[in-house]
Amino acid sequence: MNDVLKTKLTFKIQHRFTGPNPHCKKAALISTLSVDDQLSIEKVEAIKQSLKHQYSDWFELPTLSEQQTQDSTTYLAMLLAVWAKELLNSVRGFIQAAGAVSENEGSATLWLEYHDPILAEQALRLAYSVIQTELIGSISTKELKQRVHRLQLLCRRQHPDYQARILMEAASAKAIPFLQIAPGSRFWQFGWGKRSQVFFESSSNYDGTVAGMMSNSKAVTKQILNEMAMPTPAHVLVSQAAELADAAKNIGWPCVVKPLDRGGGKGVTAEIYNMSALQIAFRHARQYTKGKIMVEAFVEGNDYRLMVVNGQLISAVQRVPPTVIGDGEKRVRDLVDELNNDRTNNLVKSNYKRPVTLDSTVETQLALQKLTLDSIPEDRQQVFLRSNANLSTGGSAIDVFDSVHPEVKVFAEMISDSFGLGVSGIDYLTSDIKQSVKNSNGAFIEVNNMPGMEVAIAAGANAIDIGMKVLGNKPARIPVVMLLLTSDLDGIASEQIVEIANEFGWATLFGNQLNIKGLTLATNHLTAPEKVNSVLKNKASEGALIVWAENELYKFGMPVDNVDVAILVNVSLPEMWSKVVKESASSHVQCIDLNNTMQQCRSIISDLSKV
C-alpha cells in the first residue's frame, strides 16, 4: 500500500472544442492526466472493479484493447473519461465519445463529448476525485455519492430526456445532425436549415397546435370521439364527492375515476364496484388535481397502446398493471422489492422498465383488495399494485403488433388523422385484440399527442427502428461548404462571398457577417460556433457557405461535424489538423489564387444545389 500512497496524480482540463478536432469527432473537452510515480496495471484494474461495484447501476467500462491496457496511465485516463461519460448518461443524456491516448511516459490525453460543457467539466473533476479517493482515500465514499447525486439532478434538468435520446440514437444511425434549439430547453432540432424539424419528446413542430389542444383535454377528446361515432365508454364529470352517487347511477358499475388534467396514470383508479371504493378513488384523484374529475364506464379487457406515425400504425403494445404473486411467506413490500430487482433508475439499462414506488396510490389499490404493504398474500394470490398499466408507474409491456385486427388498425389511423397528429398514442381497451371492435366490445379511451416511444421499446422493439419511424424522412442535412482561410482572411471581400451564396439561396457566414436571403443578421453577441448554429437553425438556409479562419479551426475545431467540401486557400495545416479536415469533409480542394477560389466556390455550390 505504501507505493500507492506515493503515487501523485495531476489532472488539468486543457481545451474545449465545439466541433471535430485532433482527438474527437464531436464537441469535446480535452484534458491531461499525469502520474509522477509508476502505477501498476493491477492497481488500475482493481480501481475499475471497485468502481463497477460501487456504481453498478450505471457504470460499465467497455472492453479495451490490449494496447489500451498496457500503459497504466492511459488505462487510468480511459477509466476516468468513461466513468465521467457514464455518469453524464446515467440519468439522462446521449454522450457517446470518451477516450484517452498516451502522450509520453506517465502522461495521457483524454477527451469527453458533452451536451453542456459545464456539466461535463464537473463530471471530469468528480471522476478525478473518485480516482484519487481510490488511490489515497482523500474523500469519503458518502461524500462522493452525494456529489454524484447532485450532478445527476443537474443532468436530469439540463440533458436531453429519454424521448430525445431515442430520436438521437436513430439520428446518429442515419448520420442526421441534431442540436438544441434553445439553451436549457427540451426542444431539439434534427437536421439543418430548411431540412430541419424540431421535436419536443415525440411531438414535432409539424404537429398542429389545435391537434395538441384537442388531445390534451380528456373531456374534449371524449366529446370528439363521441361526435365521430367512435366506440368510447360513457363518462360524467364531477367536481365534488356529493355528485358521485348520481355519477354512479348514470355510468353504472364497475367504473373508473381519473383526473382530467394529469397523464401517466396519475390519480387513476379502475374497476370500482361500490360507492365506498368510488369515494376512496375520488379522494385519491383529488390529491392530483383541483379541476374536474372524470367518472367513466369500465371496459372489461386488456389495456393497449396503439402508436400511429404519419397516418400508419407502427406499434401495438399490451400494457400490464404492476402485480406481484404471493407465496404465502413474504409481505407485499418484500414481493415488490423482488419485482424491482432488475428495474433501476437508469431506464436505458433496465429497458425502460421503471421501479414500482410504494406510494399512496399503491396503498389505495391494496386497500381495495383488503391488503396492506405488510400483508402476506396467500400462495399464488395475484396482488394488483396499481389499477392502471402505465409504464411510468411500473407497468409492463407486451408486443402485440402482429395480432391487431385490421379493423382496429383502421380505427386507430382514422382517429389520429382526424385529430391532425403526426405522432399519436391511442389507448384502446378490449377483451381480444385479434377481434374486431364490435365483436370484442372494444373501446377507445384517450388520444395522446406525445406518446412515449419507450413503451414499444420495453415491449421488445428496437430503439433505433422506433426513433427512425418517428423522425421520418424530413430531417436531413443541407449542403455545407467551408472556405478555410489564413487568420487574416486573405483579403477576400465579403461582398464576393455573399453574392455567390445569394445566387443559389445559400446562407453565408464570414467573420462577423451573417447573411441569409439577402439579409444581414446581428451577430456581435455570438461566438463563432454560435454563429454557425444560427445558420443551421434558420429554416431559410438552403445551404451554407462558412468562411472559417485558421485560428478558429485551432480554437473551436471544425465548424460542423461534416462538410461537403472544404476549400483551403493559402493554408498549410499541421499534419494532425490536416487529417481532421480530410476526415470531416466529403472532399477537399487546395487553392492558391484568390480569383480561382471564387470560381471554385461558384462551381461547387452550383453542383451541390442541384443534388
Side-chain angles (χ1 to χ4, degrees), residues 20 28 42 102 120 131 226 275 288 439 441 467 543 578:
E42 291 74 19
S102 176
I131 297 295
N226 276 320
M275 185 57 64
Y288 290 88
N439 290 342
N441 294 318
S578 179

Side-chain angles (χ1 to χ4, degrees), residues 166-167 169-171 173-174 307 309 314-315 453 456-457 460-472:
I166 294 168
L167 294 178
E169 287 186 75
K174 294 180 68 175
M307 190 172 183
V309 176
I314 69 160
S315 169
M453 292 175 280
I457 297 168
N462 181 274
I464 292 176
D465 289 343
I466 291 295
M468 283 183 175
K469 289 174 181 176
V470 172
L471 280 177

Side-chain angles (χ1 to χ4, degrees), residues 301-306 313 316-318 398-409 426 428-437 440 442 444:
N302 297 319
D303 181 351
Y304 296 92
R305 166 58 60 87
L306 308 176
L313 182 72
V317 171
Q318 180 183 344
I398 303 170
D399 176 50
V400 295
F401 183 75
D402 293 334
S403 300
V404 177
H405 190 277
E407 182 183 284
V408 176
K409 177 178 181 292
I426 299 170
Y428 178 63
L429 296 177
T430 180
S431 58
D432 189 352
I433 194 73
K434 296 178 182 179
Q435 297 293 321
S436 69
V437 174
S440 65
F444 294 94

